[in-house]
Amino acid sequence: MKILLIEWASFGNADIKDAFAKEGHQVVSFPFSNKDARRDAEIEAGLTEKLRETAPDAVFSFNYFPLVSNVCKREGLPYISWIYDSPYVMLYSYTAINPSNTIYVFDRALCREFNDAGIKTVRYLPMAANTERLDRLTPLAAPDRPYLYDVSFVGSLYTESHNFFDRMKNLSPYAKGYLEGLMQAQMHVQGCNFIQESLSPIMEELYQALPMDPNPDGVETREYLYAQYVVNRKLTGLERLRLLTAVTRTYTLDLFTLDPAFSLPNLRNHGTTDNYTEMPLVFKQSRINLNISLRSIKSGIPLRAFDIMGSGGFLLSNYQEDFLENFTPGVDFEYYESEEDLLRKIDYYLTHEEERIAIAKNGHDKVAAAHTYRDRVREMLSGI
């Protein structure tokens, strides 16, 4: 097949191109700079011309773009998109029902939400890792010191840009207390997020403090916007701070994050790390790699978890339902249920070297056997 790739600065571009090529498909790229545009006559004209010039069998993009969907609908071409962001508001565009679409999401619960509403163009597909590439990356550590870090965390603290929560001004004491209590309650619950359903009593105050409106071509609600883009991000930042602080009371923690100024006792902040070449080496050279999922992810396995296992790192994650569909706890990875459980498991796996190494190998081998980009390409193209 010939695939037209909508190419923008997304994760996984090189890996998906490699997977298409190794599966025997030809890839033609269309540069896509204005990825936030829902309508743009110039981009639509350019994409239409490219489609007619190259005559692909299908169009593919990471994440979903209504503009691309409409052009594919007019041209009668299948449009395959694979969403790795959460939240992702453009999924709620009216265009999602276009018959040319096949939209893959990595979150089983989110997929059920759309399917239960009668939208069958949305399907479930977990994320993946390119284990062939990751296996070629060799750590520089000496053979007698294979690990540079005991416990590592790679991810945002949500203290950087897009911190909408802290932009809200003039909230009443009731609204502030309501949000604080809601977030504290959610902090103690894994596997079920009730933020969106709980915002109605203070929605008008939230809107006055930080106006956010649904898009004209979308079915998302104000509750969705404030829950996913404001409260859940703040909640994730608070949760990560709480858990990382708890870890540093006993262990040295190596942090790789966007905020170079963040500090805690027993924390080594390394700043940012290149996702493609440097981050896998962190995973390989850490005894324990933490995953603390963004709270807007309902049940899905974050891409970072696949990166950790695919690199051969030991994964200790919060509970996400979709893990149990694809991997076995205590065999391929491990999960924690609370702050206390997290600390217990860190202590256990730091002192049970052989068991930890065996679990990391099992996780890597399972990803290599069934969760590579080539596996996902075969599944995505099988329905065309």
Side-chain angles (χ1 to χ4, degrees):
M1 284 186 177
K2 182 187 290 186
I3 308 297
L4 184 81
L5 172 68
I6 304 297
E7 188 165 5
W8 56 283
S10 67
F11 296 112
N13 279 339
D15 289 330
I16 199 71
K17 287 181 182 178
D18 179 69
F20 278 129
K22 286 181 175 175
E23 289 298 310
H25 306 294
Q26 179 185 354
V27 177
V28 180
S29 293
F30 179 79
F32 194 63
S33 57
N34 190 4
K35 65 184 181 66
D36 295 320
R38 291 172 181 252
R39 298 201 69 85
D40 185 308
E42 184 177 348
I43 295 176
E44 290 179 19
L47 177 56
T48 301
E49 180 180 357
K50 187 73 171 182
L51 292 175
R52 294 176 180 176
E53 172 192 323
T54 58
D57 298 293
V59 176
F60 172 84
S61 71
F62 280 117
N63 288 348
Y64 171 75
F65 303 109
L67 181 157
V68 176
S69 176
N70 281 333
V71 172
C72 287
K73 180 184 176 183
R74 287 198 300 268
E75 296 299 307
L77 277 171
Y79 174 37
I80 303 167
S81 61
W82 190 12
I83 298 176
Y84 64 71
D85 275 335
S86 176
Y88 193 71
V89 69
M90 282 195 274
L91 179 59
Y92 292 82
S93 165
Y94 289 123
T95 62
I97 64 173
N98 283 348
S100 55
N101 291 338
T102 305
I103 305 171
Y104 291 100
V105 296
F106 71 93
D107 191 318
R108 173 75 79 182
L110 180 63
C111 181
R112 282 197 298 264
E113 178 184 308
F114 276 81
N115 293 168
D116 290 348
I119 301 172
K120 305 302 183 184
T121 53
V122 175
R123 300 180 185 176
Y124 170 65
L125 189 69
M127 298 311 300
N130 184 350
T131 51
E132 291 183 11
R133 175 180 65 81
L134 295 172
D135 289 347
R136 290 195 296 268
L137 295 174
T138 305
L140 298 177
D144 60 341
R145 188 170 174 249
Y147 299 105
L148 298 180
Y149 321 111
D150 282 340
V151 185
S152 296
F153 177 70
V154 180
S156 173
L157 301 175
Y158 294 98
T159 57
E160 310 92 3
S161 59
H162 304 301
N163 184 355
F164 296 115
F165 189 96
D166 292 340
R167 298 184 196 177
M168 293 191 295
K169 306 299 180 183
N170 303 317
L171 286 176
S172 70
Y174 171 80
K176 289 180 181 177
Y178 187 94
L179 282 173
E180 289 173 3
L182 183 61
M183 288 192 293
Q184 285 301 316
Q186 181 66 79
M187 193 95 71
H188 295 285
V189 177
Q190 298 283 346
C192 174
N193 190 291
F194 47 75
I195 298 294
Q196 185 170 329
E197 293 77 13
S198 305
L199 291 181
S200 296
I202 58 169
M203 268 309 305
E204 287 309 312
E205 276 209 56
L206 295 178
Y207 184 76
Q208 293 302 317
L210 181 71
M212 297 178 71
D213 288 300
N215 289 279
D217 78 332
V219 297
E220 70 274 12
T221 63
R222 281 184 179 172
E223 284 81 1
Y224 169 83
L225 294 175
Y226 285 90
Q228 309 306 338
Y229 286 93
V230 181
V231 181
N232 274 324
R233 281 184 174 174
K234 179 66 174 181
L235 174 59
T236 302
L238 292 172
E239 181 173 38
R240 289 180 176 180
L241 175 60
R242 177 176 65 86
L243 294 176
L244 298 182
T245 300
V247 171
T248 57
R249 292 193 188 107
T250 306
Y251 311 98
T252 298
L253 175 68
D254 286 272
L255 175 67
F256 300 81
T257 192
L258 295 171
D259 185 354
F262 180 79
S263 65
L264 288 171
N266 292 328
L267 182 140
R268 295 184 293 199
N269 188 339
H270 300 266
T272 57
T273 181
D274 178 77
N275 288 326
Y276 197 75
T277 59
E278 298 173 346
M279 185 178 69
L281 296 180
V282 173
F283 299 150
K284 290 172 182 285
Q285 297 177 103
S286 299
R287 287 185 168 86
I288 295 176
N289 295 282
L290 300 180
N291 174 59
I292 309 169
S293 298
L294 180 59
R295 281 289 187 154
S296 57
I297 301 174
K298 296 175 182 290
S299 68
I301 306 172
L303 177 59
R304 186 61 40 81
F306 279 101
D307 288 335
I308 292 170
M309 290 188 287
S311 298
F314 175 86
L315 171 64
L316 177 55
S317 175
N318 66 291
Y319 173 80
Q320 294 286 116
E321 181 183 351
D322 290 359
F323 270 117
L324 306 187
E325 184 176 333
N326 298 278
F327 301 98
T328 303
V331 176
D332 307 313
F333 79 108
E334 189 58 274
Y335 73 87
Y336 62 88
E337 299 181 80
S338 65
E339 178 182 316
E340 295 74 18
D341 191 37
L342 170 64
L343 298 177
R344 280 195 301 271
K345 285 177 176 170
I346 288 176
D347 183 68
Y348 179 85
Y349 284 109
L350 285 180
T351 56
H352 289 74
E353 184 98 349
E354 291 184 5
E355 186 175 350
R356 191 192 69 245
I357 291 172
I359 290 173
K361 184 180 186 304
N362 290 339
H364 168 273
D365 292 350
K366 187 164 286 187
V367 171
H371 301 283
T372 67
Y373 282 91
R374 293 183 66 176
D375 292 312
R376 302 300 186 246
V377 162
R378 285 194 290 269
E379 183 167 348
M380 286 188 287
L381 297 183
S382 65
I384 295 179

